[in-house]
Amino acid sequence: MRLVIARCQVDYVGRLTAHLPMAQRLLLVKADGSVSVHSDDRAYKPLNWMSPPCWLIEDPDVWTVQNKAGEKLVITVDEVLHDSKHELGAEPGLVKDGVESHLQELLAEHVTTLGEGWSLVRREFPTAIGPVDLMCRDDAGKSVAVEIKRRGEIDGVEQLTRYLELLNRDPLLAPVTGVFAAQQIKPQARTLAEDRGIRCVVLDYDKLRGIEPDEYRLF
């Protein structure tokens, strides 16, 4: 992984255009070829990025990152403050909470919980930025990415948003919609998800396991 801290200007040219004026930023170049631009005030989400497959052409004052679709991320460098490379080694992968991983397994087995006529394409569907919990098809045969959490918070919605942005660049999958599924979903997360066109589903863990509620039984 290469880390570059530079005073730079960034322009994205493609299906839409975006401009970041000159400022100090972190440029992250990963071994998979991806390039992302970060600031110091947005947690983990980049200001702009180009996902693989793409290539970087590095001239003295200008970096040009381009993908097969002809989209470009043009980074005009005014001053480099830091430039280093680091070998991170093999990634062992995320170890999920036991309940969360079991929820994924159960929902994969009972995917019609999300809708009649739904089918499972794959669990842990691979993408360049990490696996989607479930990739499904709805009753109309359209692709749906499902992110599963024990407790649904804003960071989970942001994670699913990044997956959807990437998946919708693939003409074989697009259009891809999203479902945010959790045992409980915080109001702020629900508001953000629905604002982005992501459907929220509250999961009943016991019902998925086939355990009937007994709170109304006399015996």
Side-chain angles (χ1 to χ4, degrees):
M1 180 180 293
R2 182 181 177 191
L3 306 174
V4 178
I5 298 176
R7 178 174 167 78
C8 61
Q9 169 185 302
V10 183
D11 293 280
Y12 185 89
V13 181
R15 291 172 299 171
L16 50 83
T17 58
H19 173 75
L20 295 171
M22 192 70 70
Q24 286 185 191
R25 299 187 177 92
L26 167 65
L27 308 177
L28 194 62
V29 184
K30 292 187 177 181
D32 64 5
S34 64
V35 178
S36 55
V37 182
H38 298 260
S39 66
D40 202 21
D41 64 350
R42 294 188 53 167
Y44 52 83
K45 187 174 182 180
L47 296 165
N48 216 325
W49 69 95
M50 185 72 77
S51 300
C54 62
W55 58 93
L56 168 63
I57 300 172
E58 188 176 346
D59 293 318
D61 298 320
V62 178
W63 291 15
T64 303
V65 190
Q66 184 171 340
N67 63 17
K68 293 190 295 184
E71 297 172 306
K72 292 182 180 180
L73 192 65
V74 181
I75 304 170
T76 304
V77 179
D78 180 62
E79 180 183 9
V80 175
L81 305 174
H82 173 86
D83 190 344
S84 63
K85 293 182 179 180
H86 307 271
E87 181 59 53
L88 301 186
E91 170 55 48
L94 178 68
V95 179
K96 294 193 174 184
D97 172 88
V99 173
E100 189 174 302
S101 62
H102 197 206
L103 277 171
Q104 183 192 121
E105 180 182 338
L106 288 169
L107 194 56
E109 293 175 359
H110 306 284
V111 71
T112 52
T113 299
L114 300 175
E116 290 295 329
W118 281 47
S119 60
L120 176 69
V121 175
R122 179 172 172 175
R123 286 179 60 189
E124 300 289 338
F125 187 86
T127 78
I129 56 175
V132 177
D133 287 338
L134 302 181
M135 178 61 75
C136 303
R137 292 197 182 279
D138 64 16
D139 57 350
K142 294 183 178 179
S143 301
V144 185
V146 182
E147 182 63 27
I148 302 168
K149 300 292 183 186
R150 184 166 59 86
R151 183 170 61 183
E153 300 184 1
I154 283 178
D155 59 349
V157 178
E158 294 285 8
Q159 182 180 358
L160 179 54
T161 299
R162 293 196 302 275
Y163 289 145
L164 291 172
E165 288 174 345
L166 182 61
L167 291 167
N168 274 299
R169 296 182 186 183
D170 187 340
L172 297 178
L173 293 174
V176 184
T177 57
V179 169
F180 189 53
Q183 285 183 277
Q184 56 181 130
I185 300 176
K186 289 195 171 183
Q188 301 95 326
R190 181 181 291 275
T191 298
L192 180 62
E194 291 176 349
D195 183 65
R196 295 179 176 180
I198 295 171
R199 176 185 161 206
C200 292
V201 175
V202 176
L203 300 173
D204 186 325
Y205 187 42
D206 287 340
K207 188 174 180 181
L208 283 171
R209 290 189 296 163
I211 299 175
E212 295 294 333
D214 59 2
E215 56 187 305
Y216 300 116
R217 292 181 183 172
L218 295 176
F219 307 100

